[in-house]
Amino acid sequence: MDKRTLLFLVLSLLVLTVYFTARAWLIPPPPVVAEVEEPPVEDPARPAIEPVQPGGGEDEPPTATEEQPAESEKPLETKRVAVGSLDMAAPYRLLVTFSSKGGTIERIELADPKFRDLENRAGYLGQVAPIATPRGLKIGVVGAGTPAAIAGITAGDILVSLDGESLLTPDDLTRSLHNRKPGEEVKLVVEPGQGGPRRTVPVELSARPLELIHPENDPHDPTIEHPLSFQLALAQNGDKAFASFLRNAEWETKEIPEGVEFSRKLSETQLAEANRQGSLEVVKRYRLLPISAPGSETETETNSSGYSLHFEIEIRNAGDTAQPAVAYMLDGPTGLPLEGWWYSYKVATGWSAGGARDVVGRSQSGAFVMQICSAIVKNYENDKPNDSDLLNAGEKLDFLGGDTQYFCAVLIAANDANAPVVQRAFARPVSELDPINKSKRTDVSFRFVPQGKILEPGESLKHSFVIFAGPKQPELLARHEISTILQYGWFGPVARLMLLILHTFHAIVPNYGIAIILLTVMVRGLMLPIGRQAAKNAQMMQVMAPELAKIKEKYKTDLQKQGQAQQELFRKYKYNPMTGCLLMFLQLPVFIGLYRGLAVDIELRQAPLIPGLDWASNLAGPDMLWRWDAYLPEFLAGENGYLGPYLNVLPLVTVALFVVQQKLFTPPATDEQTKMQQQVMMFMTIFIGFLFFRVPAGLCLYFIVSSLWGVSERLLLPKPKLPSELTGGEPAPKSGLSKLTDRLTQMVSGSSNGEPKKGRSRRSSKKR
């Protein structure tokens, strides 16, 4: 084995080691998350999760007054209000569940059936917030358009049993629905909340909608939930917090048209903890904006897409004395989807890939900023939270939000004179830092602190926002002026062009699998002259292989003469070694552009290769033929394993075609060194299968069609026409198609190399 071959092997092993080490570090094992939908249970032995605060802006140590209301106040019961609908006939595309706990958004579900939950395929009753009672499960809320609402179940009703199974805890309801499928009918025994006879209610379950925002459980203790979305506390002296209890306290609730209003009044005793006098009233108003009516003239309706809420914060001086600079701390959305975190490649700014959930922002005068999940966690681990700052102080806020691969939840400030001015805006983990589950799955969000305002008696600080919560469709983002969230990365123009062509084909043939095939045929067709020349070069290289071997043997000690002899041989055969490289060079932008397009375009999400089949039902992810993690080791088949929890067929077909191409395009080995090099190349080709095992099915489909095109070009290529002085009067070597045809002819005729088989000759002699 010569030095070059040994070096190649060492580099190959080094690449393997770096790749597997990086995967083990970047893709940690997933936590076990409970699917129980119930209110959090207070654990007196463990404090509630409080995110790590940034240096220079820490919350003041909590006092008894901050952590809970005064003892004289009557505690309020958590109240939930559902606004919007899952019915596509309604003028909304969201079903939003609000909670009086902190005056927050507890859950946002998307109504469009294109955006279903890809991982939980159990039948869906509705997020009813069940509470255990001696009689059964008390329904906390029922959203319009859910199967429960369609069946006539209302908030306050008691669920006694489901198909004869008693329902005593929320766990019972979760387990009962786990094995039910969408479209299946179940029978619920319901007791009216105000009393009355029980009745049996048939309910047809539906597919589970995607929850864009939802309460996420701590992986170590499922009874503890992460903070709800858009919590608020007051701030003073820069970004020092006071009245932190507002984040989890119960707020007064008032339903308003298409929305809800939460309010909380701070007493003199509570303000005294912050060395203030008087009284403050804090109000949060949410209103779900309906889809714009044609010809609408009002600004609110014009900007509405059915995926947006109007959000207003008002802090009013309800006392008789002036209040020094009053500001607030507003936290962002939490619990965004984790779908596909173990296989997806999220496009981010710069050179790094994004996490399952990242934080984005922009000021009205600044550039777009994205903080990657892993970088946010690393900053807090290294005690450098200031490195997670998003915007500069003194700038007017444009937007801040949480970003996933295909969806986002963004707080957009009004673009007017009253737009809030940034005091501080930074990204942060909203859950405890987990040493295992940190690089891609950590729940991260933002915290926004505007500049304060001195409030005279009766005066208010008021800021208005729009909360966009929906898919990252270009037209929707452009409508809300947040298009920069959609990042295409390298070769962005090529990715946009590929997607434009792909959507054009889809408009003609409404199947994205066929559209990808047509796109591949179009690309390879445009490259036909170059591809044909590359195939001829490969064919010519096989012809020249014996002579190249002779040249290497003749000038093995003189590399300069060896190179000159090879160049002379290339000129004789009119062979250009750069043609094959040119084909690869031209295909590289197409490959990366299509890869980035598949990683960005939400239209490919949930697009099936063959409608009606679960296999390859999401071209933006692996084809997932069979779940095999129960039969293979965790390091191979776990969600963080090298191969993933599913057997994928399309990557295997892709690698098999790569091997066929290599056999057709590689000249036969003429010595041991060349043979070893070809074996190493075969090993690297198989190694590519590991790299491709989790790529989107749509990308595998592109490679399969492109490889079949390349194989066809090679097999259909006629035999090369060589001058007689180069062939020595012997017939030119046969093409790949001629060899294949001869082989088939031999199999049919029962002959080999043109000579009759001995067995057949003996039988013929006997007959004669």
Side-chain angles (χ1 to χ4, degrees), residues 105-256:
I105 295 178
E106 183 177 278
R107 194 182 310 273
I108 293 181
E109 300 169 85
L110 302 187
D112 196 324
K114 292 193 302 183
F115 309 129
R116 296 304 188 192
D117 193 312
L118 296 181
E119 297 178 353
N120 189 337
R121 300 186 180 184
Y124 173 75
L125 175 67
Q127 298 295 346
V128 295
I131 303 171
T133 70
R135 294 187 293 167
L137 296 179
K138 180 181 178 181
I139 300 300
V141 66
V142 177
T146 62
I150 295 172
I153 299 173
T154 59
D157 287 348
I158 306 294
L159 299 184
V160 179
S161 66
L162 187 152
D163 285 346
E165 300 177 9
S166 298
L167 301 176
L168 302 178
T169 67
D171 279 332
D172 295 336
L173 180 60
T174 300
R175 281 192 295 267
S176 296
L177 293 173
H178 179 70
N179 295 322
R180 287 355 190 249
K181 300 298 181 183
E184 184 176 342
E185 184 178 273
V186 298
K187 289 182 171 54
L188 287 169
V189 175
V190 181
E191 182 178 313
Q194 303 299 325
R198 295 179 176 180
R199 68 186 192 278
T200 300
V201 180
V203 181
E204 183 178 343
L205 304 178
S206 67
R208 189 182 184 94
L210 180 76
E211 296 177 338
L212 184 52
I213 288 175
H214 74 288
E216 189 170 56
N217 295 99
D218 188 290
H220 303 294
D221 189 347
T223 63
I224 298 179
E225 289 180 344
H226 295 177
L228 299 181
S229 298
F230 300 104
Q231 291 183 337
L232 179 143
L234 297 184
Q236 65 178 355
N237 300 329
D239 54 358
K240 296 285 186 180
F242 75 95
S244 299
F245 72 88
L246 289 173
R247 292 178 179 141
N248 293 299
E250 298 294 341
W251 293 46
E252 294 283 354
T253 305
K254 176 184 177 182
E255 296 188 36
I256 59 177

Side-chain angles (χ1 to χ4, degrees), residues 61-82:
T63 64
T65 305
E66 285 182 323
E67 289 299 324
Q68 60 184 12
E71 294 183 1
S72 59
E73 296 183 21
K74 182 180 179 181
L76 301 174
E77 180 182 354
T78 299
K79 182 178 181 181
R80 294 176 174 84
V81 177

Side-chain angles (χ1 to χ4, degrees), residues 654-723:
T654 302
V655 173
L657 287 172
F658 283 170
V659 172
V660 172
Q661 276 189 299
Q662 185 172 331
K663 289 290 187 181
L664 289 175
F665 282 76
T666 304
T670 55
D671 52 35
E672 287 299 323
Q673 178 182 342
T674 308
K675 183 178 180 180
M676 178 63 71
Q677 290 176 348
Q678 291 182 0
Q679 289 175 348
V680 172
M681 290 303 298
M682 182 64 68
F683 168 77
M684 294 302 296
T685 301
I686 296 174
F687 170 67
I688 289 176
F690 283 88
L691 299 178
F692 272 55
F693 208 75
R694 298 188 184 199
V695 301
L699 191 64
C700 283
L701 189 61
Y702 168 81
F703 274 114
I704 289 171
V705 177
S706 182
S707 298
L708 289 174
W709 182 287
V711 170
S712 300
E713 275 186 337
R714 180 66 179 87
L715 293 178
L716 295 175
L717 197 66
K719 60 184 180 181
K721 296 179 180 179
L722 302 176

Side-chain angles (χ1 to χ4, degrees), residues 583-747:
L583 179 63
M584 295 178 61
F585 178 77
L586 291 178
Q587 286 195 90
L588 183 62
V590 176
F591 159 63
I592 296 179
L594 184 60
Y595 185 28
R596 292 301 178 94
L598 292 173
V600 168
D601 189 14
I602 192 172
E603 299 301 327
L604 273 296
R605 177 192 178 272
Q606 221 172 333
L609 176 60
I610 303 176
L613 289 183
D614 287 339
W615 173 72
S617 59
N618 176 24
L619 289 175
D623 58 271
M624 303 183 191
L625 175 66
W626 174 53
R627 183 155 193 141
W628 61 4
D629 54 345
Y631 307 96
L632 293 177
E634 176 72 18
F635 77 92
L636 277 178
E639 288 189 343
N640 66 310
Y642 299 139
L643 300 178
Y646 288 91
L647 169 64
N648 304 314
V649 177
L650 294 180
L652 301 179
V653 176
T654 302
V655 173
L657 287 172
F658 283 170
V659 172
V660 172
Q661 276 189 299
Q662 185 172 331
K663 289 290 187 181
L664 289 175
F665 282 76
T666 304
T670 55
D671 52 35
E672 287 299 323
Q673 178 182 342
T674 308
K675 183 178 180 180
M676 178 63 71
Q677 290 176 348
Q678 291 182 0
Q679 289 175 348
V680 172
M681 290 303 298
M682 182 64 68
F683 168 77
M684 294 302 296
T685 301
I686 296 174
F687 170 67
I688 289 176
F690 283 88
L691 299 178
F692 272 55
F693 208 75
R694 298 188 184 199
V695 301
L699 191 64
C700 283
L701 189 61
Y702 168 81
F703 274 114
I704 289 171
V705 177
S706 182
S707 298
L708 289 174
W709 182 287
V711 170
S712 300
E713 275 186 337
R714 180 66 179 87
L715 293 178
L716 295 175
L717 197 66
K719 60 184 180 181
K721 296 179 180 179
L722 302 176
S724 58
E725 63 270 15
L726 296 179
T727 61
E730 297 179 0
K734 294 185 177 181
S735 67
L737 182 60
S738 300
K739 292 180 180 179
L740 182 61
T741 305
D742 290 348
R743 182 59 180 162
L744 292 175
T745 304
Q746 293 167 10
M747 293 174 62

Side-chain angles (χ1 to χ4, degrees), residues 356-417:
R357 295 178 282 208
D358 302 316
V359 180
V360 295
R362 188 180 66 193
S363 64
Q364 294 185 4
S365 59
F368 174 74
V369 178
M370 174 181 284
Q371 280 278 355
I372 306 302
C373 173
S374 57
I376 298 169
V377 173
K378 184 177 180 180
N379 290 338
Y380 278 81
E381 285 184 323
N382 296 336
D383 198 24
K384 296 180 179 179
N386 292 338
D387 291 346
S388 293
D389 281 0
L390 296 165
L391 307 177
N392 297 322
E395 299 178 339
K396 284 191 175 183
L397 175 67
D398 189 356
F399 67 80
L400 288 167
D403 180 55
T404 68
Q405 184 176 16
Y406 296 118
F407 303 93
C408 62
V410 184
L411 180 76
I412 308 170
N415 189 7
D416 54 27

Side-chain angles (χ1 to χ4, degrees), residues 20-71:
F20 289 133
T21 303
R23 286 197 64 85
W25 179 66
L26 293 175
I27 307 180
V32 179
V33 181
E35 295 184 355
V36 180
E37 303 291 347
E38 59 178 322
V41 179
E42 298 295 337
D43 184 357
R46 177 175 177 176
I49 295 175
E50 180 64 26
V52 181
Q53 302 298 324
E58 296 182 354
D59 284 356
E60 296 178 354
T63 64
T65 305
E66 285 182 323
E67 289 299 324
Q68 60 184 12
E71 294 183 1

Side-chain angles (χ1 to χ4, degrees), residues 79-87 90-99 104-111 124 127 140-146 253-262 285-290 306-310:
K79 182 178 181 181
R80 294 176 174 84
V81 177
V83 179
S85 176
L86 292 183
D87 186 356
Y92 314 102
R93 291 297 173 262
L94 302 176
L95 174 59
V96 186
T97 302
F98 300 96
S99 173
T104 53
I105 295 178
E106 183 177 278
R107 194 182 310 273
I108 293 181
E109 300 169 85
L110 302 187
Y124 173 75
Q127 298 295 346
V141 66
V142 177
T146 62
T253 305
K254 176 184 177 182
E255 296 188 36
I256 59 177
E258 299 177 327
V260 61
E261 176 182 291
F262 298 106
R285 299 184 185 91
Y286 302 88
R287 187 168 71 87
L288 184 59
L289 302 178
Y307 290 101
S308 53
L309 300 94
H310 184 266

